[in-house]
Structure formats: structure tokens, C-alpha cells
Amino acid sequence: MTIEIWVAIISGAVALTSATVGTYSAVLSARIQREMEVRRHRVRKEEEIENVMSRFREPFLRAAFELQTRIHNIVDTDFVPRVSGDGSHAEPGYVRSSTLFRLAQYFGWVEILRKSVQFLDLGDQERTRQLSDKLDRIGLAFAETSSYPESAVFRLYRDEQRALGELMIERTPGAARELQCMNYVQFVEELETNPTFSRWFGRLSGEIDALADASPGHLDRMVKVKDELSTLLAFLDPDGVRFPSIHPGDSLRD
């Protein structure tokens, strides 16, 4: 073959190689761009979730701890007959109203978390899955009926839990998108003056009044809820930095 033909063949091969490399580089570049965008989206999502959790972690933990403390004192320290009869509170219905408040406050913060982080959809993070599982187990302890006698108090089906939570949510003044939970003073006012509000607590209120003389099996559900709350608190505050662990026999100020 002549030199001209060899030059043409080599030139063609070089051109073909260049085109192939160029195509591969473009495909690779597009793939890298997509992967980087996915990674950036994931990082933004995680930062957003962490921001939400950092703002709400403390009040949510406190709500869970306060409910756990009250249930512990009811189950383990005869709290209801002891406090109801000792005259230590000016408000005669303190045990009833404060117990209802702690119950509703917990569900209020659960609902705020759901709304604020899109129902706790944090992608495929293992820690998110674990948190969702623990919240679900608490919800199940309230809702399940097959494991407890009919006399067991505090039965709340899933939609009832959501309803109590929604009743407790307020918008933060001056920040329309910020949510917070109703305080105790507001709760008692609504409970005493708003029939639409108080009707959601009618049955629970009667059950709390009956705790002063609890029958066998009456507290079984509360024991399970207390245990699940302990698991949740240990998960979110593993070293007990914010709130101490509660053990059977502990006498807690409430």
C-alpha cells in the first residue's frame, strides 16, 4: 500500500478512536454529574432533617420523658390515690388534667415531627428506620387490643392518636411555618371550656379517675407503653445526658 493509503487508514483510526473516547467521556461525565446531584440532594436532605431534629429533639424528648415518668408513677408508686388525696394541689383535677396533657403532648410532638420531616421519610438511613420503628411500637402499644384485657386503660387507635396530636399543634407566633405544642395552661382552658376539644378526652378522663382503685390487668397497657418509651429515650439519649433512665422501684418527683 502507498504511504497515502496508510496515512488515510491511520487518520481514520485516530478519528474513530477520538470519537469513541469523546462519546465515552461524555457518557461518563453525565453519569458523574447525575451521581453528584444525587449525592448533593441526599446531603441537603440529611442536613434538613438534622436541622428539624435538632430543633425538636429536646421538646420531643421532654414530652416522651414526662409521659414515661407519669406512667411510671401511676404503675409503680400509687401516684393517683396518693396525690389525689393529699391536698397538695390547689386544682382538684390536677392528676386527671396533667396526665391527659402529658399524653396529648407526646402525640402532639410526634405529629409535629411527622409534618416537619415529611412523615419521618429520611431516605434509607438505618437510624431513621430504627426511630420510625420505635415510634410505631409505641403507637401499637396504645392501639393493640388482643394482648390486653378489656379493662386495660389508655386504648387509643391510630387515628385517635393522630387526632390528639393534631389538637395540640399550634403555629409559632411570627413564624407561620414553625409548629409548637400547646402548653399546659392552654390545654386546661380548652379542656374546661371547649366541648369540641374536650370530647376527645372524655373516655380517657374517666379511666384516669378510676386508676385510684385499679383492677387486675387495668394497667397492663400502661406498663407496655412505659417500656417502649424507655426504649425510645435510650435510643435518642443513650448516655442519659438529658434525662435519666427510669427503673422499677424508682421514686420520681412528678
Side-chain angles (χ1 to χ4, degrees):
M1 288 186 288
T2 65
I3 294 177
E4 289 80 3
I5 294 175
W6 278 109
V7 170
I9 292 173
I10 293 171
S11 298
V14 170
L16 179 61
T17 302
S18 298
T20 302
V21 171
T23 300
Y24 176 76
S25 297
V27 171
L28 181 61
S29 178
R31 181 181 299 171
I32 292 173
Q33 285 293 108
R34 286 197 299 271
E35 291 177 353
M36 290 179 63
E37 183 59 34
V38 168
R39 190 173 294 114
R40 282 195 293 267
H41 175 75
R42 185 182 299 119
V43 170
R44 286 196 300 268
K45 182 72 172 178
E46 291 175 357
E47 289 175 347
E48 176 187 343
I49 296 306
E50 181 56 33
N51 180 51
V52 170
M53 290 302 294
S54 65
R55 284 188 286 124
F56 294 144
R57 182 181 286 111
E58 188 70 22
F60 174 65
L61 272 170
R62 181 167 295 281
F65 179 75
E66 288 179 352
L67 177 58
Q68 182 204 29
T69 300
R70 175 55 53 85
I71 293 176
H72 168 81
N73 282 338
I74 289 173
V75 171
D76 294 337
T77 72
D78 296 323
F79 176 81
V80 174
R82 175 167 50 84
V83 176
S84 297
D86 68 2
S88 60
H89 292 278
E91 188 211 346
Y94 167 77
V95 171
R96 181 174 61 255
S97 61
S98 64
T99 301
L100 291 175
F101 170 74
R102 294 187 185 199
L103 183 67
Q105 178 185 233
Y106 168 77
F107 288 122
W109 280 111
V110 169
E111 196 62 23
I112 287 172
L113 283 176
R114 291 185 194 277
K115 292 178 182 296
S116 299
V117 295
Q118 299 178 354
F119 302 98
L120 296 175
D121 179 14
L122 314 191
D124 59 355
Q125 293 178 304
E126 176 63 16
R127 187 167 176 80
T128 299
R129 187 197 64 76
Q130 293 174 0
L131 174 58
S132 297
D133 177 68
K134 286 168 175 54
L135 293 177
D136 186 67
R137 290 177 67 86
I138 294 171
L140 179 62
F142 277 107
E144 186 188 1
T145 58
S146 59
S147 300
Y148 308 101
E150 291 185 7
S151 62
V153 297
F154 277 28
R155 189 270 300 145
L156 286 165
Y157 294 128
R158 297 286 189 172
D159 288 342
E160 291 178 305
Q161 297 171 29
R162 294 285 301 274
L164 296 189
E166 289 167 357
L167 286 170
M168 297 296 290
I169 295 176
E170 294 184 326
R171 299 287 178 183
T172 303
R177 299 181 64 182
E178 293 289 331
L179 302 176
Q180 64 182 12
C181 218
M182 182 185 300
N183 64 39
Y184 181 60
V185 172
Q186 294 170 300
F187 176 81
V188 173
E189 181 71 17
E190 289 291 309
L191 199 63
E192 293 179 346
T193 63
N194 186 345
T196 302
F197 183 90
S198 62
R199 76 179 183 85
W200 288 97
F201 299 92
R203 174 178 57 82
L204 295 170
S205 179
E207 290 178 349
I208 292 171
D209 289 341
L211 291 177
D213 186 22
S215 59
H218 216 56
L219 305 179
D220 288 1
R221 185 190 309 279
M222 298 178 75
V223 172
K224 178 62 173 177
V225 171
K226 185 189 73 166
D227 291 343
E228 296 295 353
L229 285 168
S230 296
T231 301
L232 173 67
L233 287 163
F235 175 73
L236 293 174
D237 186 26
D239 298 321
V241 174
R242 296 175 177 84
F243 302 100
S245 299
I246 298 176
H247 305 285
D250 287 352
S251 179
L252 302 176
R253 296 185 62 182
D254 192 353

